[in-house]
């Protein structure tokens, strides 16, 4: 339901769980000029506001709502940057006394969105500084994780002509340090004015009350986002990067270009290729490189469906680099030549379908699927159409998709082996 242009309300009635879930999602185009400010805004919103200026004040109020939980997070989806505000609280019918929490929850949402803790058109300086420093620490810790470093380097090389896409959810240390209490507050005001906003209510809610309350906030109309996918050019030359790892383990990260987007007919086959190659313990790479040969500590594959990227990553001893790369090529070529047994295909389909069923046992996962269905269409729908499409995929379909992948970059972080 569109309340005004660019502001959407989704109310999903469910009696399955004991808790209600509310997600308020701000979505904007990913940009290095705003990504770190948005991360700081998210951290501030879950910590304090004018009504509850100290964290302990906010925690005390949440406790009065029978242990309600408030949290925020940031994510990158393709070329979009997302800021989430999440609330989880017990349903009224499970309370020992006949009480209605929705009014208190709405008061809290109003405080978070409309009465931030500000001084002279800027976030309160001490609050801003604390959250800025915390995020810088998070980004610096990420550098100590060799898999994160390899992934980030892979993004930099793969998205060479589009550096914004190589940024983490928080930006980087330099971008975080460049923000001020005033610039972060300016970004928050822009988010409230220009971001697509989705209010997702999952559980037991009076829809009319919810709609009327949000409309009373008089959120302005804004332009809808025009594109979600990043259109990545393919390179004929494989680019390589070699660096020293922080730890003993070496890491290899391979980035392949895939021409397939999630709204294309061959997308289910691409999802199954990922399942067969490296997503699960029965996958080819895991079984061959880790279980049979004992060459790797960790191996897997990952699909970045909104930006043409298919990754394979491996953690191993440096002396095994050449043989591991050879094994990866062999397993990829096996699929490209159609060496996929019926048993392997059925197992992969079963694992994927089981994952989809598990989504129905998680309220947060159901909320996420609601958003993705609204934003990206039927591939994420609740009507079972994608599950049916998976079931009809053949080994030949997967072979065709595997042949369309093109290696773009190799990132090798060499461990110390000490």
């Amino acid at each position: 339901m569109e309340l005004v242009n660019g502001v959407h309300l989704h109310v999903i009635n469910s009696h399955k769980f004991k808790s209600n879930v509310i997600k308020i999602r701000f979505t904007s185009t990913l940009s290095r000029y705003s990504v770190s400010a948005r991360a700081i805004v998210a951290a501030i919103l879950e910590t304090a506001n004018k009504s509850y200026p100290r964290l302990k004040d906010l925690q005390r109020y949440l406790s009065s709502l029978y242990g309600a939980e408030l949290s925020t997070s940031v994510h990158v989806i393709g070329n979009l940057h997302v800021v989430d505000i999440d609330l989880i609280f017990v349903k009224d019918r499970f309370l020992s006394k006949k009480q209605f929490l929705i009014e208190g929850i709405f008061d809290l949402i109003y405080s978070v969105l409309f009465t931030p803790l500000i001084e002279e058109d800027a976030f309160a300086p001490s609050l801003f500084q604390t959250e800025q420093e915390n995020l810088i620490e998070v980004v610096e810790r990420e550098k100590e994780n060799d898999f994160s470093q390899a992934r980030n380097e892979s993004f930099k090389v793969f998205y060479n002509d589009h550096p914004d896409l190589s940024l983490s959810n928080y930006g980087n240390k330099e971008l975080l340090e460049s923000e001020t209490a005033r610039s972060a507050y300016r970004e928050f005001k822009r988010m409230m004015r220009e971001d697509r906003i989705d209010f997702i209510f999952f559980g037991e809610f009076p829809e009319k009350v919810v709609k009327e309350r949000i409309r009373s906030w008089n959120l302005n109309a804004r332009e809808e986002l025009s594109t979600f996918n990043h259109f990545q050019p393919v390179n004929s030359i494989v680019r390589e990067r070699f660096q020293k790892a922080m730890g003993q383990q070496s890491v290899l990260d391979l980035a392949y270009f895939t021409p397939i987007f999630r709204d294309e007919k061959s997308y289910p086959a691409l999802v199954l290729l990922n399942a067969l190659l490296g997503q699960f313990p029965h996958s080819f790479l895991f079984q061959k490189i880790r279980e049979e040969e004992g060459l790797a500590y960790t191996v897997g594959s990952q699909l970045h469906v909104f930006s043409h990227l298919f990754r394979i990553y491996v953690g191993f001893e440096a002396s095994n680099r050449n043989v591991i790369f050879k094994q990866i090529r062999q397993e990829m070529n096996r699929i490209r030549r159609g060496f996929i047994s019926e048993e392997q295909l059925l197992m992969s389909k079963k694992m994927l379908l089981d994952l989809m069923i598990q989504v129905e046992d998680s309220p947060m996962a159901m909320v996420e699927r609601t958003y993705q269905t609204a934003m990206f269409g039927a591939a994420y729908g609740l009507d079972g159409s994608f599950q049916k499409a998976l079931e009809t995929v053949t080994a030949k379909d997967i072979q065709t998709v595997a042949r369309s992948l093109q290696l773009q970059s190799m990132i090798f972080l060499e461990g110390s082996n000490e």
Side-chain angles (χ1 to χ4, degrees):
M1 177 192 307
E2 188 173 61
L3 301 178
V4 296
N5 198 51
V7 179
H8 302 263
L9 171 63
H10 317 265
V11 180
I12 306 100
N13 289 310
S14 172
H15 305 293
K16 187 174 183 179
F17 306 99
K18 290 185 177 181
S19 297
N20 286 321
V21 175
I22 299 174
K23 180 183 287 290
I24 305 168
R25 173 164 285 184
F26 293 81
T27 307
S28 183
T29 302
L30 176 63
S31 168
R32 66 174 44 250
Y33 300 108
S34 61
V35 60
S36 291
R38 293 167 68 85
I40 295 171
V41 167
I44 287 174
L45 294 183
E46 74 171 1
T47 305
N49 53 64
K50 191 174 181 180
S51 301
Y52 310 102
R54 297 174 300 176
L55 180 58
K56 65 179 181 181
D57 297 328
L58 182 56
Q59 290 173 335
R60 189 178 297 117
Y61 184 70
L62 289 168
S63 294
S64 75
L65 297 173
Y66 291 86
E69 299 174 22
L70 169 68
S71 62
T72 62
S73 56
V74 292
H75 317 278
V76 174
I77 306 174
N79 66 351
L80 303 177
H81 190 266
V82 165
V83 175
D84 282 347
I85 303 171
D86 292 318
L87 276 158
I88 303 174
F89 57 99
V90 68
K91 291 176 177 175
D92 293 339
R93 61 187 172 94
F94 291 105
L95 299 177
S96 56
K97 299 177 182 179
K98 191 173 181 180
Q99 297 191 39
F100 301 97
L101 297 184
I102 191 65
E103 285 301 319
I105 292 294
F106 269 123
D107 288 345
L108 177 58
I109 294 172
Y110 187 88
S111 297
V112 170
L113 295 181
F114 297 100
T115 63
L117 190 60
I118 59 172
E119 297 177 12
E120 298 180 356
D121 207 35
F123 283 121
S126 60
L127 174 62
F128 168 82
Q129 183 178 351
T130 298
E131 301 309 326
Q132 181 188 44
E133 290 174 352
N134 289 342
L135 286 173
I136 289 172
E137 186 178 338
V138 169
V139 169
E140 288 296 283
R141 278 203 309 269
E142 213 174 54
K143 291 181 179 179
E144 299 172 7
N145 184 308
D146 291 321
F147 278 94
S148 295
Q149 276 297 93
R151 179 199 62 210
N152 292 342
E153 284 299 315
S154 190
F155 287 173
K156 286 178 186 178
V157 176
F158 187 82
Y159 302 122
N160 182 56
D161 298 324
H162 303 273
D164 287 0
L165 290 171
S166 67
L167 294 168
S168 78
N169 297 336
Y170 313 106
N172 56 40
K173 181 182 179 182
E174 291 72 27
L175 291 173
L176 285 166
E177 288 178 335
S178 70
E179 296 295 341
T180 65
R182 191 173 300 277
S183 67
Y185 181 56
R186 186 165 58 243
E187 176 59 23
F188 172 65
K189 290 192 293 184
R190 192 208 60 75
M191 288 167 57
M192 290 292 293
R193 187 176 63 249
E194 299 178 14
D195 270 25
R196 173 186 168 119
I197 305 179
D198 289 86
F199 293 92
I200 307 174
F201 289 72
F202 182 87
E204 298 172 9
F205 294 97
E207 184 170 347
K208 183 179 179 181
V209 172
V210 169
K211 182 167 59 175
E212 289 177 353
R213 179 60 68 91
I214 296 176
R215 277 184 167 157
S216 74
W217 296 338
N218 295 319
L219 291 163
N220 63 283
R222 67 279 317 274
E223 291 184 13
E224 287 283 9
L225 295 163
S226 57
T227 181
F228 318 120
N229 296 323
H230 163 68
F231 295 92
Q232 173 75 13
V234 60
N235 287 300
S236 57
I237 298 174
V238 178
R239 287 168 287 187
E240 301 181 13
R241 296 286 188 277
F242 298 90
Q243 298 179 14
K244 285 290 184 182
M246 297 284 288
Q248 297 181 19
Q249 186 175 184
S250 296
V251 180
L252 179 66
D253 196 298
L254 305 177
Y256 293 81
F257 170 87
T258 171
I260 299 164
F261 276 134
R262 48 101 187 107
D263 55 357
E264 297 181 26
K265 186 178 180 181
S266 52
Y267 173 62
L270 180 62
V271 172
L272 270 166
L273 171 62
N274 184 44
L276 276 167
L277 197 57
Q279 184 178 1
F280 297 114
H282 79 276
S283 301
F284 290 172
L285 293 177
F286 190 92
Q287 285 296 315
K288 184 67 176 179
I289 295 176
R290 190 180 187 278
E291 296 298 295
E292 294 180 20
E293 303 292 340
L295 296 171
Y297 307 113
T298 305
V299 60
S301 62
Q302 188 175 24
L303 176 60
H304 299 257
V305 69
F306 297 100
S307 52
H308 291 294
L309 174 59
F310 186 99
R311 290 174 51 237
I312 295 174
Y313 54 88
V314 194
F316 56 96
E317 291 185 3
S319 58
N320 292 327
R321 177 171 67 94
N322 291 335
V323 67
I324 281 178
F325 183 59
K326 181 180 178 181
Q327 291 282 3
I328 292 172
R329 284 192 302 176
Q330 287 178 349
E331 294 306 307
M332 181 70 80
N333 287 334
R334 279 185 63 210
I335 297 177
R336 285 170 171 167
R337 293 196 300 268
F339 290 104
I340 305 169
S341 72
E342 188 68 20
E343 181 183 1
Q344 290 164 330
L345 182 55
L346 288 174
M347 175 62 77
S348 295
K349 288 181 178 181
K350 182 181 183 303
M351 297 289 281
L352 287 170
L353 292 171
D354 286 348
L355 278 180
M356 293 177 185
I357 292 170
Q358 288 172 23
V359 165
E360 298 177 8
D361 292 326
S362 166
M364 291 304 294
M366 292 293 286
V367 166
E368 183 63 32
R369 182 182 280 189
T370 298
Y371 169 82
Q372 294 194 358
T373 302
M375 284 288 286
F376 310 126
Y380 298 92
L382 299 172
D383 60 359
S385 57
F386 185 66
Q387 290 91 322
K388 292 174 184 176
L390 273 179
E391 290 171 349
T392 63
V393 172
T394 66
K396 182 68 174 178
D397 296 329
I398 298 170
Q399 179 186 5
T400 301
V401 166
R403 287 178 173 177
S404 72
L405 299 185
Q406 298 182 59
L407 182 61
Q408 299 290 282
S409 65
M410 295 173 52
I411 308 299
F412 176 55
L413 269 60
E414 185 179 18
S416 62
N417 275 341
E418 294 178 358

